[in-house]
Amino acid sequence: MELITVNTKEEMARLAAEIIAKTVSEKPDAVLGLATGDTPVHTYSLLCEKCSEKLIDFSKIKTVNLDEYVGMGYNDKQSFKRFMFDNLFDKINIKHENIHIPDGKVADIALECENYDRLINSLGGIDLQLLGIGHDGHIGFNEPSTEFIYETHKVMLDPVTVKANSRFFKNENEVPRFAITMGISPIMNAGKLLMLAGKDKKEILMQAIFDGVTPSVPASVITKHKNLTVIYCNE
Ligand code: PGA
């Protein structure tokens, strides 16, 4: 594991954008696993800038996102699909057919989960997976549990997550209680993992990376990955 500590969010985003840009330039048809949340927003804006300056080319890049709320799609402004288009996809030269996000609006969620795993496999897996960490130690929406769940699955959100994500909604009652999340397997099978965490996540991050692997802190599993970079920002 490479643990990089930086002092500012700006520096964290700059480093993360450089790592992602390097993957894209080394493998122009790479599969990028992407994350939502506040933490990667500035990284995405730097990637948009690089793309508008023609320093990075997403025309052959494929993406798979970690998760989506059940019942939400592009027309819901809090959906992760909308987040990704607003913060990245609308501002880079990616082909829409190469963008993949679990569909929270489908009737058959179990089938959507199966199809998502099949899709990731058909793409040959993920080259670089970007990750945040939840206050409860989740990655994607793999919530604390008694066991790791390896496949894409429907999950009931932990009360800690509902509370944390209520900042994007009018109130806590409006936060969806269920989500579809990529499971642990595609994350751990990614060629490289890049985790970003700010100061508000210090305690849970330290627990995840130094206190041993346990499904009660799902992010702890990434310490088993052979190519893991964690960027911790002291701001
Ligand atoms: P945040 O979310 O970046 O908005 O803190 C991270 C996460 O919940 O995985």
Side-chain angles (χ1 to χ4, degrees):
M1 172 179 62
E2 180 186 28
L3 173 59
I4 302 171
T5 302
V6 296
N7 287 324
T8 64
K9 289 181 181 168
E10 180 67 36
E11 178 78 342
M12 176 166 73
R14 195 181 58 72
L15 277 178
E18 275 170 15
I19 291 168
I20 295 167
K22 185 165 178 276
T23 299
V24 172
S25 73
E26 284 172 1
K27 190 173 177 190
D29 61 349
V31 177
L32 299 181
L34 298 177
T36 53
D38 280 336
T39 312
V41 167
H42 193 44
T43 301
Y44 291 152
S45 72
L46 294 178
L47 290 174
C48 296
E49 275 175 28
K50 282 180 195 288
C51 188
S52 70
E53 290 162 14
K54 307 240 179 308
L55 298 173
I56 183 169
D57 176 16
F58 288 93
S59 61
K60 297 195 187 87
I61 289 293
K62 293 157 217 151
T63 65
V64 285
N65 261 80
L66 283 167
D67 42 19
E68 179 61 282
Y69 292 117
V70 167
M72 287 205 166
Y74 181 81
N75 290 332
D76 302 290
K77 68 178 195 310
Q78 298 95 345
S79 71
F80 291 164
K81 185 167 190 178
R82 177 63 96 53
F83 172 99
M84 289 307 305
F85 276 84
D86 287 353
N87 287 288
L88 185 67
F89 298 146
D90 278 340
K91 302 170 188 165
I92 60 174
N93 65 331
I94 192 165
K95 294 199 174 83
H96 282 202
E97 65 265 31
N98 288 338
I99 294 169
H100 306 287
I101 302 175
D103 186 349
K105 299 286 268 187
V106 292
D108 191 340
I109 297 287
L111 181 63
E112 175 67 9
C113 293
E114 273 175 39
N115 286 343
Y116 205 64
D117 282 330
R118 245 179 252 130
L119 167 88
I120 296 169
N121 286 333
S122 75
L123 295 174
I126 297 164
D127 291 291
L128 169 69
Q129 177 66 56
L130 181 62
L131 294 167
I133 181 171
H135 289 279
D136 61 355
H138 69 209
I139 42 172
F141 272 141
N142 289 275
E143 298 286 34
S145 174
T146 51
E147 56 185 13
F148 290 114
I149 304 178
Y150 291 94
E151 299 83 28
T152 299
H153 56 282
K154 179 180 172 182
V155 60
M156 186 163 88
L157 298 181
D158 193 278
V160 172
T161 300
V162 172
K163 197 170 169 40
N165 288 12
S166 65
R167 67 193 195 279
F168 300 112
F169 294 82
K170 274 199 207 109
N171 57 56
E172 216 171 298
N173 290 337
E174 283 198 2
V175 183
R177 275 6 188 208
F178 292 93
I180 298 174
T181 184
M182 195 190 283
I184 296 299
S185 285
I187 297 173
M188 289 303 284
N189 290 334
K192 178 169 183 61
L193 299 183
L194 174 60
M195 172 169 277
L196 309 182
K199 197 175 183 179
D200 59 323
K201 307 288 175 52
K202 184 174 186 175
E203 205 176 315
I204 191 69
L205 178 71
M206 294 304 137
Q207 207 180 319
I209 61 182
F210 293 122
D211 288 358
V213 175
T214 168
S216 62
V217 182
S220 62
V221 74
I222 68 171
T223 58
K224 295 272 181 213
H225 197 279
K226 297 216 160 46
N227 190 352
L228 165 66
T229 298
V230 177
I231 307 180
Y232 170 70
C233 160
N234 224 343
E235 178 176 281

